[in-house]
Structures are given as C-alpha cells and as structure tokens.
Amino acid sequence: MSRTPIMAGNWKMNMDHLGAVSLVQDLGKALEDAGYDPARSEAVVIPPFTDIRSVQTLVEGDKLPLAWGAQDISAHEDGAYTGEVSGSMLAKLGCSYVVTGHSERREYHGETDELVNAKAKKIIEHGMTPIICCGEPLEVRKAGKHVEHTVGQITADLAGIDAADVAKLVIAYEPIWAIGTGETATADDAQEVCGAIRKAVADLYDEATAESVRIQYGGSVKAGNVVEIMSKPDVDGALVGGASLKAGDFAQIVTFYAK
Ligand code: 13P
C-alpha cells in the first residue's frame, strides 16, 4: 500500500503553551527511544491555537520529526470576525493540517456540513491539508444507518473540491459514541465505515483518488488497540484524543508498526 499512515494527536482544549513545550519535548524523546521511522508513519500534533507558535519554534529548532496543525479555522478570509483565526494566520505558523467537522464542533457550535465544506476549501486555499471528521451518534448506529449517515456527511463536506485536492486530504471516521468513552469500535466496525468512505470517494471521483485519500479512525484509540485497528486495509491512521496527551502513549501509537 502506498499510503503512509498518519497518526494525529488532537489535544482538544488541553495544555497551555508551557505544557505544550514539555509534551512536545517528551514526545521527541519518546519517539527517538521507540526507534520512530517517519517513512512508516507520519506523526502530527494538533494543539490549541495558543500553543502553535511554541510548538513550531520547538519542532523547528530541535528538528523533531513532527508536523503540527490546528483544530479549527475561520471560513472567512480576514476582517471583523471577533474570536476567529484565519487560514493565512495558520499557514504562517507552519501548520500542515487543520481539523474541520469534528463532532464536538458540529454538536457544541452548530457546525453544518456546509460550513465544514467552506472551511475545508479555506484550508486547501491556504496550502494546508484538511482532516475532515465525520461519524455517527449512537442512535444512528443502533438504527443500522451509520454507513449512510457518514457517507452523506462526507459527500456534503467534499462538495466542489477537486479530485487533485481530495487525493491529498485526510478523512477521519470518528463514531461519536466511541469518543472519550473508552468504548472503541471494533476493527471490523472501523473497516466497514472506512471502506464505505473510500468507495464513496471512488464513486464521487475515481479509483485513483480513492486509493490516495488517507482515512483515519478515531475514538478511544490507545497503545493497546492501535495494532488491531491498523491491521485493516482501509484504515490509514488514527485521530487520537486522550492518549495523545501522554508522550509515551502517543509514541507507542505512532510506532504501531514496530509491535
Ligand atoms: P479520544 O481518543 O479521547 O476518544 O478522542 C477521539 C477524538 O475525538 C479525536 O479527535
């Protein structure tokens, strides 16, 4: 398989910039100790906005094998949008990735697929890579409509984005009932939906685009379950919340291939 797995730590609203500096220092050391090989998986940290400059300075200064990104972006270019952070600001801080469509933003901030789509376009316009999140709530899973729900989200989130850009982006399947709950989808559950997303991309675009897009699973990924999840053919990485806040745990997840 030509897709390089991508392991991204979404720190959510944790760690001030001092905590970020110490976590990234510890992570650099833990990756070195674990014999991390960047050719076998890509390691990304996604701290809060206030930490990004510190993370950038440290990673660049110490040449750590890490990319970094942001958890959100404004759909606007610039101007009178109090509290928002623009794509050009994030690009200037060297962000490679920006998350959009996380279920916590959909749920607590009313973000719609239309807005997720606008944000994905903004991320691409500024030369960064979107990590577009999707996933079903428990009621939808219980009703057996999880594939339809998730494919519907992704179809709307990708509207009007070119095949060449879709080929480079990252999609994260995060079933809401598995986020922060300790309840992980089985590897087969993850494969079912990640496979369906890849097929949807093939139907919307073409096979080459579908083969190139990277699809992560997210939801209670830990050092103890990452190997099984990563054994599935359509799972190309993990979007990790809680376990990304501990350097040793995240380093184990990033180096899953060595287990
Ligand atoms: P947890 O790994 O804490 O379940 O969070 C998953 C997530 O939402 C990552 O974006």
Side-chain angles (χ1 to χ4, degrees):
M1 185 173 74
S2 58
R3 299 184 296 268
T4 305
I6 174 166
M7 300 310 208
N10 174 10
W11 295 2
K12 306 191 180 184
M13 198 171 73
N14 295 292
M15 299 286 165
D16 59 24
H17 73 286
L18 298 173
V21 166
S22 102
L23 178 53
V24 168
Q25 269 167 343
D26 290 349
L27 183 57
K29 173 85 172 65
L31 287 172
E32 195 178 328
D33 291 348
Y36 172 51
D37 175 3
R40 302 194 63 182
S41 74
E42 188 179 347
V44 184
V45 290
I46 307 179
F49 290 132
T50 51
D51 301 356
I52 295 176
R53 180 59 158 173
S54 305
V55 169
Q56 176 194 31
T57 304
L58 188 60
V59 171
E60 288 180 350
D62 285 347
K63 301 196 170 31
L64 300 176
L66 287 171
W68 61 93
Q71 297 174 18
D72 191 24
I73 186 173
S74 175
H76 303 285
E77 189 51 37
D78 53 30
Y81 299 101
T82 302
E84 297 218 44
V85 175
S86 75
S88 58
M89 293 169 184
L90 298 175
K92 200 127 203 171
L93 287 171
C95 290
S96 300
Y97 295 94
V98 183
V99 173
T100 183
H102 195 283
S103 60
E104 288 151 15
R105 294 214 60 87
R106 292 182 191 258
E107 187 177 347
Y108 307 137
H109 301 272
E111 296 201 4
T112 60
D113 284 317
E114 198 179 17
L115 182 60
V116 173
N117 175 248
K119 289 186 174 187
K121 288 175 175 161
K122 227 3 133 190
I123 297 163
I124 293 166
E125 192 182 312
H126 287 282
M128 301 176 288
T129 300
I131 299 179
I132 303 180
C133 304
C134 58
E136 80 285 354
L138 190 56
E139 318 82 79
V140 171
R141 159 86 32 184
K142 282 186 173 156
K145 303 249 189 255
H146 46 286
V147 168
E148 188 180 323
H149 176 93
T150 308
V151 166
Q153 285 180 314
I154 283 301
T155 304
D157 298 343
L158 295 180
I161 301 180
D162 290 349
D165 290 323
V166 172
K168 287 183 275 181
L169 61 71
V170 179
I171 294 172
Y173 168 55
E174 299 203 302
I176 297 170
W177 48 271
I179 296 178
T181 57
E183 187 152 341
T184 326
T186 65
D188 287 335
D189 289 339
Q191 168 58 29
E192 180 193 23
V193 182
C194 292
I197 292 170
R198 196 176 309 284
K199 183 174 177 311
V201 173
D203 293 344
L204 290 167
Y205 296 90
D206 51 60
E207 284 295 335
T209 305
E211 279 307 306
S212 168
V213 67
R214 290 186 291 177
I215 305 176
Q216 298 174 310
Y217 166 79
S220 300
V221 173
K222 310 255 178 299
N225 58 24
V226 66
V227 173
E228 203 199 335
I229 288 164
M230 289 304 295
S231 71
K232 296 295 169 181
D234 287 303
V235 179
D236 305 319
L239 187 56
V240 186
S244 71
L245 297 171
K246 294 197 185 107
D249 290 3
F250 191 56
Q252 290 303 305
I253 291 169
V254 170
T255 59
F256 73 95
Y257 54 81
K259 294 186 183 199

